[in-house]
């Protein structure tokens, strides 16, 4: 082992607070326990090193311990890039704390790099003084040459700016498993569990859950389960006994509202929300989907819930998937299709068919970087205008977006409510950051969820004056048409994409009828605003002059940036939208309260364009399309500039020297 001895808490650009106590390890070695309020860890390695599994297990144990947390998995786009190369680097970042956190952290405090490629890809983001743990076994001349290192950074002094600890993780794992009966290559695959054990010791994480997980995961291969458990325990014991780590860290549980919690990803939460919507509506749930990154996990999760009336159909392509889902809705089910941006483009014609036939349908778009196949494993918010207008003709569709992984559950229930109540397709815009990220989620009481049975009223009797069935006779309040299940006696009616005559639903080419039906379909969507809650505004003092508005997964970074600004004594309001089409009824009035409105988006300004067009507000667009979430420090600087431009707040006690926001000095609790 080489490098400096981490005898103090790793310095952090995010300002974690630390206190220290000393304890005795076996053999009389005195080890310090440093209490932190938060920490950001990034695990990085080859795509075959199991970094995602390691991160997920560490996250699960951290959630069970009671810390609040946010995660950021970062996958390579290549299915299997050459081993040890930069395109194959996979990473997992986690922030956990003794208080509520809003992001996975701007930068890591601790970087675990399993090979030279992982080091080179991530070192620039580790602040000076941060803790760097390296697998020295992998820093061979061949691996160094693959990524352009002329010399070994462990030995050439280039890492002196960080607390560097090099550990022969690979060889220590194989030594621990020498009696397991596994070959060398098989044994080496367990080094991620050795690393997990070491980190579990460093941060006082529970171990029982991981052991149970490994026993369950490899129950059909008990020798593999035993090897992974042995490697995990060896890593834990190494941390406890080695002089290389004289410090461990403790982050106390975060205060949370009473309830039952579980760690959940956005895709899992969204799938469970759809199951809940089926249960609360009394309808069977049908998913027609074609696998696509990053939406496939919704299909996987829903396929596990057949006992709740869920049927999943893996179609041969995107068009077949949505066609089957719309057919299921025609047959009286809650039809759902899941995809990403490229799939939405292929589904556009069938979405238009759902608009014309006025049937309930939930279209889940887990956005990723584009255009075309773009960045399959990276995140973006670039499908908003496609969701709004990406169909021929006037084909309005409600659009809603969750703000966090846990909020994907509520957004799914809300999408189903709108689809069923108004007989319309609904676009639910998640993204890769939400889909793969995780957080603790309070499991709701089923009885507290909306009762959706009132939205389901199948037509069983004629509704016309002459005893005929009029499929396009509408509810006076919602403008929803009658929904008749095929095969119901006397409820025969035309279906298809040709324009429908008012009331009768017969094919009509009459110009006046087309104008009327087009305006009626739009009025139906506009009317949804009457059932949307007032705009969500966080303005603690109620007198901010600058507001930041966002949608979707920007909620966390914007919220963390606003905390930074407020901690400096400045005032800023945060507005976050779940409903984007239609907007909340009071949104125009809310925006008019502020002198400046900033709209950060992971696109080139799509929501800002809609807001400017709708409300004639000079929205300041701040955009990025890097495939990664915003950093809160970056947004804090943008907000501060806007506050400076807006001028001093004449109601403040002291306007002569407004405090500047130093993103480095501000406490990490604000993330």
């Amino acid at each position: 082992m080489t490098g400096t001895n981490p005898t103090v808490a790793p310095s952090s650009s995010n300002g974690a607070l630390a206190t220290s106590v000393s304890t005795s390890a076996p053999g009389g070695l005195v080890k310090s326990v440093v209490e932190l309020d938060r920490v950001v860890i990034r695990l990085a390695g080859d795509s075959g090193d199991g970094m995602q599994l390691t991160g997920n297990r560490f996250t699960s144990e951290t959630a069970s311990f009671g810390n609040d947390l946010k995660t950021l998995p970062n996958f390579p786009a290549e299915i299997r890039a050459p081993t040890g190369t930069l395109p194959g680097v996979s990473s997992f970042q986690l922030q956990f704390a003794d208080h509520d956190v809003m992001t996975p952290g701007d930068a890591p405090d601790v970087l675990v790099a399993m090979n030279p490629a992982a080091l080179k890809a991530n070192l620039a983001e580790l602040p000076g003084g941060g803790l760097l743990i390296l697998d020295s076994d992998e820093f061979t001349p061949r691996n160094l040459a693959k990524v352009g290192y002329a010399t070994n950074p462990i030995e050439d002094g280039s890492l002196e700016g960080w607390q560097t600890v090099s550990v022969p993780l690979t060889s220590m794992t194989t030594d621990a498993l020498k009696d397991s009966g596994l070959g060398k290559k098989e044994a080496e695959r367990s080094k991620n569990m050795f690393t997990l054990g070491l980190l579990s010791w460093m941060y006082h994480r529970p171990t029982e859950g991981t052991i149970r997980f490994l026993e369950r995961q490899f129950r059909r291969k008990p020798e593999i389960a035993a090897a992974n458990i042995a490697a995990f325990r060896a890593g834990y014991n190494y941390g406890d006994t080695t002089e290389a780590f004289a410090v461990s860290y403790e982050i106390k549980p975060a205060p949370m509202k009473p309830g039952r919690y579980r760690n959940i990803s956005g895709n899992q939460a969204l799938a469970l929300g759809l199951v809940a919507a089926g249960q609360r509506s009394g309808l069977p749930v049908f998913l027609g989907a074609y696998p696509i990154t990053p939406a496939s996990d919704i299909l996987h999760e829903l396929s596990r819930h057949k006992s709740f009336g869920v049927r999943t159909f893996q179609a041969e392509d995107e068009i077949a998937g949505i066609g089957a889902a719309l057919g299921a809705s025609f047959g009286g089910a809650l039809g759902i299709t899941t995809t990403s941006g490229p799939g939405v483009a292929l589904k556009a014609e069938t979405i238009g068919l759902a608009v014309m036939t006025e049937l309930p349908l939930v279209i889940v778009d887990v956005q990723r970087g584009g255009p075309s196949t773009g960045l399959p494993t990276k995140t973006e918010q670039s499908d908003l205008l496609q969701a709004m207008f990406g169909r021929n003709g006037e084909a309005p569709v409600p659009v809603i977006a969750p703000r966090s992984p846990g909020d994907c559950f509520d957004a799914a229930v809300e999408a189903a409510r709108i689809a069923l109540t108004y007989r319309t397709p609904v676009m639910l815009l998640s993204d890769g950051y939400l889909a793969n990220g995780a957080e603790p989620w309070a499991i709701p009481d089923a009885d507290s969820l909306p009762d959706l049975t009132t939205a389901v009223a199948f037509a069983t009797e004629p509704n016309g004056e002459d005893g005929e069935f009029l499929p396009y006779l509408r509810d006076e309040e919602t403008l929803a048409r009658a929904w008749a299940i095929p095969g119901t006696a006397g409820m025969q009616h035309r279906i298809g994409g040709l324009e429908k005559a008012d009331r009768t639903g017969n094919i009509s080419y009459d110009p006046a009828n087309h104008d009327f039906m087009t305006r009626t379909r739009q009025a139906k969507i506009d009317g949804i605003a009457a059932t949307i809650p007032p705009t969500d505004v966080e303005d603690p003092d109620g007198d901010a002059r600058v507001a930041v508005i966002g949608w979707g997964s920007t909620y966390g970074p914007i919220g963390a940036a606003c905390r930074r600004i407020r901690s400096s004594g400045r005032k800023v309001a945060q507005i976050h939208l779940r409903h984007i089409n239609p907007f909340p009824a009071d949104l125009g009035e809310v925006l008019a309260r502020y002198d400046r409105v900033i709209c950060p988006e992971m696109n080139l300004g799509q929501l800002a364009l809609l807001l400017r067009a709708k409300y004639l507000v000079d929205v300041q667009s701040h955009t990025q399309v890097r495939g990664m979430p915003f950093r809160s420090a970056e947004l804090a600087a943008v907000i501060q500039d806007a506050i400076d431009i807006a001028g001093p707040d004449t109601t403040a006690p002291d306007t002569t020297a407004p405090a500047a926001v130093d993103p480095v000095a501000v406490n990490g609790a604000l993330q």
Side-chain angles (χ1 to χ4, degrees):
M1 281 130 330
T2 62
T4 58
N5 189 357
T7 56
V8 296
S11 63
S12 167
S13 66
N14 302 320
L17 304 178
T19 59
S20 179
V21 297
S22 296
T23 62
S24 294
L29 179 64
V30 176
K31 296 208 171 190
S32 297
V33 178
V34 176
E35 292 187 4
L36 302 175
D37 67 334
R38 47 155 297 282
V39 72
V40 181
I41 300 173
R42 182 180 298 178
L43 305 166
D46 193 72
S47 57
D49 285 337
M51 293 297 93
Q52 303 303 325
L53 175 61
T54 305
N56 284 328
R57 286 313 313 160
F58 193 87
T59 297
S60 295
E61 297 298 347
T62 296
S64 69
F65 185 76
N67 297 120
D68 195 23
L69 61 90
K70 293 288 187 297
T71 70
L72 178 60
N74 189 8
F75 306 94
E78 303 293 333
I79 294 176
R80 193 67 176 94
T83 302
T85 62
L86 291 173
V89 173
S90 176
S91 68
F92 187 102
Q93 184 163 305
L94 161 73
Q95 178 173 208
F96 60 103
D98 64 3
H99 54 270
D100 70 301
V101 295
M102 303 191 74
T103 75
D106 282 0
D109 304 311
V110 181
L111 173 61
V112 180
M114 304 296 281
N115 60 19
L119 176 66
K120 191 161 193 176
N122 292 278
L123 183 61
E125 297 185 48
L126 180 67
L131 178 58
L132 179 60
I133 302 174
L134 304 175
D135 181 359
S136 58
D137 287 331
E138 293 297 316
F139 282 72
T140 63
R142 184 168 182 268
N143 287 343
L144 292 167
K146 284 182 181 180
V147 293
Y149 278 124
T151 59
N152 190 337
I154 296 176
E155 301 170 352
D156 64 12
S158 60
L159 302 180
E160 290 181 354
W162 296 272
Q163 297 184 72
T164 305
V165 181
S166 61
V167 182
L169 294 172
T170 302
S171 58
M172 292 186 73
T173 301
T174 56
D175 287 346
L177 302 183
K178 62 183 178 181
D179 298 325
S180 66
L182 299 181
K184 185 174 182 292
K185 288 293 184 184
E186 288 180 306
E188 286 179 356
R189 293 193 185 104
S190 297
K191 68 180 180 179
N192 64 324
M193 289 296 106
F194 187 100
T195 305
L196 178 59
L198 174 59
L199 291 173
S200 297
W201 171 81
M202 285 181 64
Y203 293 97
H204 296 233
R205 299 297 91 184
T207 60
E208 296 81 4
T210 294
I211 292 173
R212 288 195 301 269
F213 167 80
L214 292 171
E215 291 172 340
R216 183 173 62 252
Q217 184 76 6
F218 299 106
R219 61 187 179 276
R220 296 180 181 176
K221 297 181 178 180
E223 70 282 1
I224 301 296
N228 278 284
I229 292 170
F232 175 70
R233 286 173 170 159
Y236 191 98
N237 293 334
Y238 172 74
D240 198 25
T241 57
T242 183
E243 294 183 7
F245 291 92
V247 176
S248 64
Y249 307 96
E250 182 176 6
I251 296 94
K252 295 185 181 299
M256 294 185 178
K257 294 180 180 179
R260 185 182 181 192
Y261 287 80
R262 62 163 287 183
N263 188 53
I264 201 165
S265 71
N267 274 347
Q268 290 174 325
L270 203 154
L272 294 180
L274 295 172
V275 174
Q279 292 295 296
R280 297 298 288 172
S281 65
L283 296 179
V285 173
F286 180 93
L287 173 69
Y290 180 74
I292 184 172
T293 303
S296 299
D297 284 342
I298 302 173
L299 169 62
H300 302 157
E301 182 66 31
L302 282 175
S303 68
R304 300 187 179 105
H305 299 288
K306 297 180 179 65
S307 59
F308 290 100
V310 177
R311 183 171 298 176
T312 54
F313 168 57
Q314 182 174 318
E316 66 269 26
D317 55 42
E318 296 282 5
I319 298 172
I322 190 172
L326 184 57
S329 291
F330 178 56
L334 174 57
I336 301 157
T337 190
T338 54
T339 189
S340 188
V344 173
L346 294 168
K347 296 177 189 292
E349 185 175 1
T350 308
I351 297 173
L353 176 61
V355 171
M356 178 61 75
T357 57
E358 300 191 44
L359 288 168
L361 180 67
V362 176
I363 305 115
V364 178
D365 177 4
V366 186
Q367 301 165 94
R368 69 191 204 188
S372 188
T373 45
L375 304 174
T377 61
K378 308 302 180 184
T379 195
E380 213 164 273
Q381 291 182 300
S382 52
D383 295 345
L384 177 56
L385 294 184
Q386 180 179 220
M388 288 286 295
F389 307 118
R391 296 162 295 282
N392 64 295
E394 294 288 345
V397 169
V399 179
I400 69 173
R403 63 173 59 179
S404 68
D407 189 51
C408 288
F409 177 91
D410 296 317
V413 174
E414 174 67 355
R417 179 193 72 85
I418 293 174
L420 294 171
T421 303
Y422 293 89
R423 313 284 196 268
T424 178
V426 176
M427 192 77 73
L428 197 165
L429 293 181
S430 179
D431 63 45
Y433 175 30
L434 295 182
N436 298 317
E439 66 179 356
W441 174 62
I443 301 173
D445 180 358
D447 293 336
S448 69
L449 300 177
D451 180 5
L452 302 183
T453 58
T454 56
V456 181
F458 294 122
T460 57
E461 297 179 354
N463 56 359
E465 296 86 348
D466 299 327
E468 59 182 327
F469 175 55
L470 301 175
Y472 282 80
L473 182 64
R474 300 177 181 277
D475 180 275
E476 293 182 358
E477 183 177 347
T478 65
L479 298 182
R481 77 170 184 88
W483 186 9
I485 297 177
T488 305
M491 300 293 105
Q492 298 91 336
H493 60 284
R494 292 182 180 274
I495 200 74
L498 292 173
E499 181 61 279
K500 304 294 184 288
D502 180 36
R503 294 165 58 90
T504 67
N506 294 330
I507 295 171
S508 173
Y509 299 107
D510 178 67
N513 177 78
H514 177 59
D515 185 275
F516 175 79
M517 294 296 279
T518 298
R519 295 179 186 277
T520 301
R521 287 188 288 263
Q522 182 65 57
K524 180 175 69 171
I525 303 307
D526 293 341
I528 296 170
T531 65
I532 294 175
T535 302
D536 183 12
V537 182
E538 183 181 339
D539 186 357
D541 297 321
D543 56 356
R545 300 179 62 190
V546 172
V548 187
I549 188 168
W551 66 280
S553 66
T554 59
Y555 173 75
I558 292 173
C562 289
R563 287 184 179 183
R564 288 173 178 255
I565 292 295
R566 293 176 190 134
S567 73
S568 71
R570 313 298 288 274
K571 298 178 180 180
V572 64
Q574 181 181 6
I575 303 168
H576 208 78
L577 300 178
R578 166 176 284 174
H579 298 84
I580 304 174
N581 190 37
F583 287 127
D586 65 340
L587 181 57
E589 176 187 342
V590 169
L591 294 177
R593 300 175 194 165
Y594 300 98
D595 295 340
R596 296 186 68 82
V597 178
I598 309 167
C599 184
E601 296 181 79
M602 292 186 291
N603 55 45
L604 296 183
Q606 297 185 18
L607 176 62
L609 180 69
L610 297 176
L611 294 173
R612 289 171 180 148
K614 178 76 172 179
Y615 301 110
L616 302 181
V617 173
D618 186 18
V619 176
Q620 175 185 335
S621 184
H622 179 74
T623 65
Q624 72 168 42
V625 280
R626 298 193 294 249
M628 296 292 287
F630 280 107
R631 296 185 177 187
S632 56
E634 171 194 347
L635 292 181
V638 172
I639 296 169
Q640 179 173 299
D641 288 344
I643 292 174
D644 292 341
I645 293 172
D649 183 355
T650 57
T651 65
D654 180 11
T655 62
T656 58
V661 177
D662 182 352
V664 174
V666 174
N667 189 284
L670 304 179
Q671 292 190 50

